Amino acid sequence: MLEKSLIKYVFNDKVRNTEYKKANIDFISDEEIKKAKSFHESFSEYSVTPLHKLDNLAKILGVKNIFLKDESYRFGLNAFKVLGGSYAIGKYLSEKLRIDISEVSFDYLRSKEVKEKLGDITFVTATDGNHGRGVAWAANQLGQKSVVYMPKGSSKIRLENIKKEGAEASITEKNYDETVRFSNEMAEKHGWVVVQDTAWEGYEDIPTWIMQGYGTLVHEAMEQLAEYGIGKPTHVFVQAGVGSFAGTVQGYLASKFGVERPVTVVVEPDLAPCIYESAKLGERYIVTGDMHTIMAGLACGEPNTISWEVLKDYSDAYFSCPDYVSARGMRLLASPLKGDPQIISGESGAIGAGVISLIMEKGCYKELREKLGLNENSKILIISTEGDTDPKKYRDIVWDGDYSSI
Ligand SMILES: Cc1ncc(COP(=O)(O)O)c(C=O)c1O
């Protein structure tokens, strides 16, 4: 097979310089994340999602360990996103009730007493699928309404799954970032509450809470690694759309481990590389257009202003990857080596697995793996952030070989 280096990358030269003043990450500290985790633990649907150890894959790729956190098991919603939307809604309601979130359980928030106190609230959001499904689920659980707008070209199955959670949902004629603006305009017009998973100037509270909500999964992962006798991974690969999720993982690790933190790489589709382009430029950069990547959850052009600051100051490298990288990840997780567990990972979930498989295996990435210090001692953590959220597309890729490797 032709070997062609198509993963593009840029390294952060300042990242390990301790003299350089970095962004404040207190909002994503262990203490803050524990509050989000306790809130999630109060849900009857809560259980820790699996952390798989892929020993045979690690062996064949020449690294010590590969751990994969499988978020397809999150609250039966097939993706991690509900962690953010539910915590943000919980924080919003607890502030309205003037009670600290640590005093509030999910059951209390869904009680008749709370509903009577707060009355009807409509939450609105823009989404490619997973975030909207999480917001719709949380609003529904709390007896409140939700309105969800999706960008043009969004998957019909994802739309239907959002509607099933009781939301008024529709697909617009706009791209993702325009849909975010549209949802804002509608909120202003109707007095709805915007629960958006990205921040911009003047809109920072809810996105901060969403990021804190995502923290539950990285906190769980650290506890699960400790059960395997691993204090911390040496390398973490995190996928990014607007970068909220990556910012959470990165900020948490930097806050917990300081200069001893793992080497962290932000991974994006090359059709929506807003963090990669920002890193190259050294300042927040907006990618425009339709962004027709198979990684729908990562098809975002405008970095979250809060997480960009975190990723700019603490991440070691930024990758921009063609779609076939994620397709390869989906296939290798779906048909594992004998002895490794099978993992159903969707387009936005499998990019980490695809990336490490290619850079460890292909000669053209020798320099890259050396620069990252990836070798037989490496203990890698990746997160499959979604399962087969579009089952037809999943089968086209895994069964029929769409987006085959180059
Ligand atoms: C499955 C999945 N993974 C990763 C992400 C990326 O998260 P963020 O937009 O916070 O970068 C998303 C976003 O929707 C997603 O749906």
Side-chain angles (χ1 to χ4, degrees), residues 19-135:
E19 312 275 282
Y20 168 68
K21 191 171 174 334
K22 299 192 170 66
N24 187 326
I25 43 177
D26 292 347
F27 74 101
I28 215 84
S29 66
D30 200 47
E31 199 183 324
E32 287 298 333
I33 298 310
K34 273 188 187 141
K35 286 189 206 166
K37 188 158 173 266
S38 307
F39 178 68
H40 287 133
E41 281 166 353
S42 78
F43 296 22
S44 52
E45 297 77 4
Y46 176 81
S47 63
V48 175
T49 56
L51 183 78
H52 299 292
K53 190 162 178 273
L54 305 174
D55 286 340
N56 297 297
L57 183 63
K59 204 167 168 192
I60 213 166
L61 295 180
V63 297
K64 192 168 173 82
N65 299 124
I66 296 174
F67 292 98
L68 179 145
K69 178 91 170 141
D70 186 354
E71 285 297 307
S72 70
Y73 288 90
R74 190 64 70 182
F75 298 172
L77 293 175
N78 221 359
F80 79 104
K81 278 260 153 180
V82 63
L83 291 173
S86 60
Y87 189 60
I89 291 179
K91 279 282 280 190
Y92 176 83
L93 297 182
S94 60
E95 293 217 337
K96 283 215 125 199
L97 294 163
R98 298 180 193 282
I99 313 176
D100 191 85
I101 187 80
S102 49
E103 311 286 311
V104 163
S105 73
F106 202 54
D107 273 346
Y108 175 65
L109 290 182
R110 48 181 158 197
S111 68
K112 221 170 135 208
E113 180 193 333
V114 167
K115 184 73 214 271
E116 273 166 12
K117 267 191 196 158
L118 297 177
D120 289 334
I121 303 172
T122 300
F123 297 99
V124 61
T125 195
T127 183
D128 45 74
N130 295 321
H131 169 67
R133 192 173 177 190
V135 167

Side-chain angles (χ1 to χ4, degrees), residues 159-194:
L159 171 70
E160 288 314 313
N161 281 332
I162 293 171
K163 285 186 175 166
K164 274 188 202 149
E165 300 298 339
E168 189 189 308
S170 54
I171 298 178
T172 67
E173 277 305 306
K174 305 165 196 308
N175 79 7
Y176 173 78
D177 303 288
E178 290 158 357
T179 310
V180 171
R181 279 188 274 281
F182 177 69
S183 126
N184 251 338
E185 285 160 24
M186 295 306 276
E188 268 178 33
K189 198 165 152 193
H190 298 290
W192 298 338
V193 179
V194 177

Side-chain angles (χ1 to χ4, degrees), residues 197-198 211 214 239-249 266 268 274-275 300 302-304 306-308 310-311:
D197 52 350
T198 187
M211 288 179 69
Y214 296 160
Q239 55 272 60
V242 295
S244 308
F245 165 69
T248 296
V249 176
V266 180
E268 288 175 288
C274 62
I275 307 287
C300 313
E302 303 189 15
N304 171 334
I306 304 170
S307 30
W308 162 240
V310 177
L311 299 173

Side-chain angles (χ1 to χ4, degrees), residues 68 70 72-73 78 155 157-158 161 294-296 323 326-336 341-351 353 384-404:
L68 179 145
D70 186 354
S72 70
Y73 288 90
N78 221 359
S155 148
I157 298 168
R158 291 189 179 125
N161 281 332
I294 56 167
M295 295 171 255
D323 281 349
S326 139
R328 185 178 213 244
M330 291 165 71
R331 284 190 289 270
L332 73 85
L333 294 172
S335 58
Q342 188 203 35
I343 294 149
I344 307 294
S345 181
E347 299 88 305
S348 300
I351 182 77
S384 174
T385 48
E386 68 175 349
D388 55 344
T389 52
D390 186 337
K392 167 78 171 69
K393 188 135 203 168
Y394 180 85
R395 288 195 300 275
D396 288 347
I397 294 169
V398 172
W399 290 7
D400 294 325
D402 274 9
Y403 302 92
S404 64

